[in-house]
Amino acid sequence: MKLTKKHIALTIVMIIAVVMTFVSAGSAAEPFERLLDRWTKSREYVDREDGISRLDIRATYYSAEFVEAYVQKEADANLWTEQETDDYKYKFLQALHLDEMIPIQIYFNNNGPTMHLGPFDTMVKLMVKNKSYKPVDYDKRFNFAFQGEREGLVYFPRYDEKTGKDLLEGVKTVTLELRGAISPSFTNGNNIRFQWDIANDDPSKLYRGTTAARIETDRLIKRLENLRKDKEAEDARLKAIEDEINTIQQRLDELANVQ
């Protein structure tokens, strides 16, 4: 089976729906269900006045365990070869940017008042060691008012912008917080929190073998391209300095001859 970028994109968009199917599949899916209990958190709200309107929210943290299990599930379901599985994993990790960011999938099912979440990066944050971090990127569909279902990925920084240090090093838990303003009629203005135990999460496990080699190759090629651009800029700057030196020296020689 040939893997395309469209296939990868659709996989990421629909991952919540797929894994929830596994949750409801019974005892055969129980190991995966237990895994989901660790990495998918949910909240349900019912309108106090009519008792019918509902708001369901789910958030899935893309841990190494979750990603590895999902890739293997897809491989088993599609009877992929080892090479096809590696190709899928490589493209999946590229789409997630897991080596640079912390991706979290957020899902809303709103059959109550229209929700207004834009700009979404002011509505959500990630708490790490009592510090909060805004998204560096997110699915822009969250910016538009909606009823019904909406889901997408939200990306938070994995490294400190100034020091380059891994923000999750030595961290036991992280908390995703949504402002109660996303739907005051349901939340009563109270913020919504989802917390995960990430003490044993190790994303580096995903970057081993052929997948790691391909990803590192991509990174080095990108780095090489940037260095070449830097070299071209420095060469142009050096030439400008040399031209100015020659111009000044030429003028000094002319003045010396006048004297």
Side-chain angles (χ1 to χ4, degrees):
M1 179 179 179
K2 185 177 180 180
L3 301 174
T4 65
K5 291 183 178 179
K6 183 179 180 181
H7 183 195
I8 299 298
L10 288 174
T11 296
I12 293 177
V13 171
M14 297 303 296
I15 192 170
I16 295 298
V18 174
V19 296
M20 290 312 295
T21 300
F22 266 73
V23 169
S24 61
S27 59
E30 189 172 347
F32 202 75
E33 181 180 357
R34 288 200 299 269
L35 186 148
L36 282 175
D37 286 341
R38 285 196 292 276
W39 304 113
T40 298
K41 308 296 182 180
S42 62
R43 295 283 189 278
E44 297 178 356
Y45 296 90
V46 178
D47 189 278
R48 294 181 179 179
E49 294 184 3
D50 62 27
I52 299 175
S53 300
R54 292 174 59 90
L55 171 62
D56 297 327
I57 307 173
R58 291 198 299 267
T60 302
Y61 184 93
Y62 280 74
S63 67
E65 179 185 44
F66 180 84
V67 172
E68 197 69 69
Y70 187 79
V71 169
Q72 189 57 52
K73 178 185 70 65
E74 286 290 285
D76 293 342
N78 292 283
L79 302 178
W80 285 336
T81 64
E82 183 177 351
Q83 181 61 53
E84 288 173 326
T85 302
D86 285 341
D87 287 344
Y88 180 85
K89 182 178 179 180
Y90 165 72
K91 293 175 183 177
F92 194 57
L93 290 175
Q94 274 192 320
L96 288 177
H97 305 291
L98 201 63
D99 58 331
E100 301 175 354
M101 303 180 193
I102 303 170
I104 296 177
Q105 178 98 5
I106 301 179
Y107 166 88
F108 298 98
N109 188 3
N110 167 44
N111 67 355
T114 300
M115 293 177 67
H116 301 269
L117 305 184
F120 190 64
D121 59 352
T122 66
M123 293 289 184
V124 61
K125 61 184 178 181
L126 190 68
M127 305 293 297
V128 182
K129 285 186 175 180
N130 297 320
K131 291 185 179 180
S132 63
Y133 298 89
K134 293 179 60 176
V136 294
D137 197 11
Y138 60 92
D139 192 321
K140 297 305 185 291
R141 291 176 298 173
F142 284 137
N143 286 334
F144 300 97
F146 72 94
Q147 287 180 307
E149 295 181 299
R150 184 146 301 177
E151 64 181 310
L153 283 166
V154 183
Y155 297 91
F156 294 95
R158 184 173 291 274
Y159 298 96
D160 185 273
E161 185 178 5
K162 295 181 179 179
T163 66
K165 182 181 179 181
D166 187 343
L167 296 176
L168 302 184
E169 183 178 347
V171 173
K172 294 183 178 180
T173 63
V174 295
T175 301
L176 179 74
E177 183 173 287
L178 292 164
R179 289 178 57 192
I182 63 170
S183 187
S185 61
F186 283 114
T187 66
N188 199 29
N190 296 320
N191 291 350
I192 305 161
R193 291 191 169 195
F194 301 99
Q195 187 175 83
W196 293 273
D197 180 353
I198 63 163
N200 297 318
D201 184 36
D202 183 9
S204 67
K205 293 179 180 179
L206 297 169
Y207 296 90
R208 293 175 182 172
T210 57
T211 300
R214 293 175 68 179
I215 290 176
E216 185 176 8
T217 297
D218 290 343
R219 181 182 64 79
L220 291 176
I221 289 174
K222 183 177 180 180
R223 177 60 177 160
L224 186 59
E225 290 175 351
N226 290 336
L227 288 173
R228 284 172 174 166
K229 290 178 182 178
D230 290 343
K231 183 177 182 300
E232 289 177 1
E234 288 299 318
D235 288 345
R237 179 172 174 273
L238 182 59
K239 185 178 184 304
I241 293 174
E242 290 177 345
D243 289 344
E244 186 175 359
I245 290 174
N246 291 334
T247 299
I248 293 174
Q249 187 59 57
Q250 183 178 356
R251 181 56 180 160
L252 287 173
D253 292 344
E254 291 173 354
L255 292 172
N257 291 332
V258 169
Q259 296 177 3

